Amino acid sequence: MKIRKRETEEERKHVQEALRNLTNRRGTKNLFFTLFFFFFIGGYLFFFTSRYWMPTTGEAERFTQIGQVTEWDGKEIRLIRWDYAPEQQMMEVELDLKDLSFQEPHEYEFSAMEINQGPLKVTTVLEETNWAVVQISAVPERWAEISFRISTPDNEEAGTLRMYTNIEDVHRVSRIETLDRQGYQVARLENEITIYEDEIEELQEQIQDEKDRISMIQDEISELKQGQEYETEEQVEESEALIEEAQTQIQTAEDAIEEAYEDIVERQERIGNLQEQIRELQGR
């Protein structure tokens, strides 16, 4: 009887162990399906919503340089500035519109498009025959590339002119203020002054580079002349040819310096004229 009882207890333990194993296997399988479902749905949502919350900087490559001039539909379109105020989620685009066809001016239509999130709201705050200021509002916090578009509804054959900015290269400002016509005129003149001042700084750097180059060439000429004392007649002729070539390079550098100085004077005169226009607009 005792032997039979032990066998019964062992059988019961065996059954209980089998049930536990079965329960564990079911739990593991349920956990596997739960995790699979979680990661599948999570990945699905990540893929289809990332365009709305994560800027795709890999696509943010196109960029229209400030000051760039584009010929389009018998016109010269120059991008004067493209400012972005992140806290306001606003941009302001200023354009110079020069008609080369001397025909009746067309009406312009402006629009903007974010590469991932579609059309953006635009408001034309100033538009004249040769000048326009347009604001882009409700710019997404996370964006990659925005195209600014110009078309003429009364001339569909001209197509659409596109200009671009991107999250990496856009010019950021602390705030954009909507101004009246005079305010925009003054701001435009001040912007041109800044451009000329930047150009003067670049010209001054070019002048210094050319001066450094002249100094280096003069040192090389001195070394060539010193070495002639121990050279054969043929070697001296070769050295003289090198010295002559070096002197030609010095003359080229000196001409470049003179031209740069003339450009600086020209830009300083333009700055003076612009400052005079600002004083007249402000009634000083």
Side-chain angles (χ1 to χ4, degrees), residues 74-237:
K75 303 172 183 64
E76 268 188 3
I77 312 296
R78 180 168 68 94
L79 179 60
I80 297 175
R81 62 184 175 87
W82 189 331
D83 296 336
Y84 170 48
E87 291 187 4
Q88 291 176 279
Q89 294 183 268
M90 180 184 292
M91 292 179 167
E92 192 168 75
V93 181
E94 185 173 359
L95 303 165
D96 182 75
L97 312 167
K98 184 182 295 183
D99 194 342
L100 304 177
S101 63
F102 302 104
Q103 298 177 358
E104 183 178 350
H106 293 292
E107 177 186 350
Y108 294 102
E109 187 173 275
F110 305 106
S111 60
M113 183 85 68
E114 205 284 322
I115 190 171
N116 294 313
Q117 304 185 48
L120 303 174
K121 181 182 178 181
V122 299
T123 304
T124 304
V125 294
L126 185 149
E127 183 177 3
E128 297 183 357
T129 304
N130 61 351
W131 184 27
V133 178
V134 181
Q135 290 180 349
I136 305 172
S137 55
V139 176
E141 290 186 8
R142 296 180 179 273
W143 58 278
E145 178 186 275
I146 292 176
S147 62
F148 181 77
R149 306 174 180 207
I150 309 171
S151 59
T152 51
D154 52 346
N155 185 18
E156 294 182 358
E157 293 180 359
T160 301
L161 173 65
R162 290 175 172 83
M163 298 181 176
Y164 297 91
T165 194
N166 63 68
I167 191 67
E168 299 294 334
D169 301 311
V170 67
H171 178 247
R172 288 173 168 79
V173 296
S174 57
R175 186 166 183 81
I176 292 173
E177 299 288 350
T178 303
L179 309 174
D180 57 15
R181 185 180 187 279
Q182 179 177 315
Y184 280 116
Q185 281 183 305
V186 171
R188 179 177 181 177
L189 295 172
E190 289 175 339
N191 183 64
E192 290 186 30
I193 288 173
T194 300
I195 291 172
Y196 287 137
E197 288 174 340
D198 290 342
E199 290 177 355
I200 288 173
E201 186 175 338
E202 289 178 6
L203 288 166
Q204 289 171 334
E205 290 176 358
Q206 290 176 20
I207 289 171
Q208 187 58 51
D209 289 343
E210 294 296 342
K211 287 182 176 180
D212 293 342
R213 183 164 171 260
I214 289 172
S215 178
M216 181 187 68
I217 294 172
Q218 287 173 336
D219 290 341
E220 291 176 356
I221 290 174
S222 296
E223 290 178 6
L224 288 169
K225 287 182 176 180
Q226 290 173 4
Q228 285 179 341
E229 183 179 353
Y230 306 101
E231 292 179 346
T232 65
E233 185 177 343
E234 182 178 345
Q235 288 175 322
V236 169
E237 289 180 358

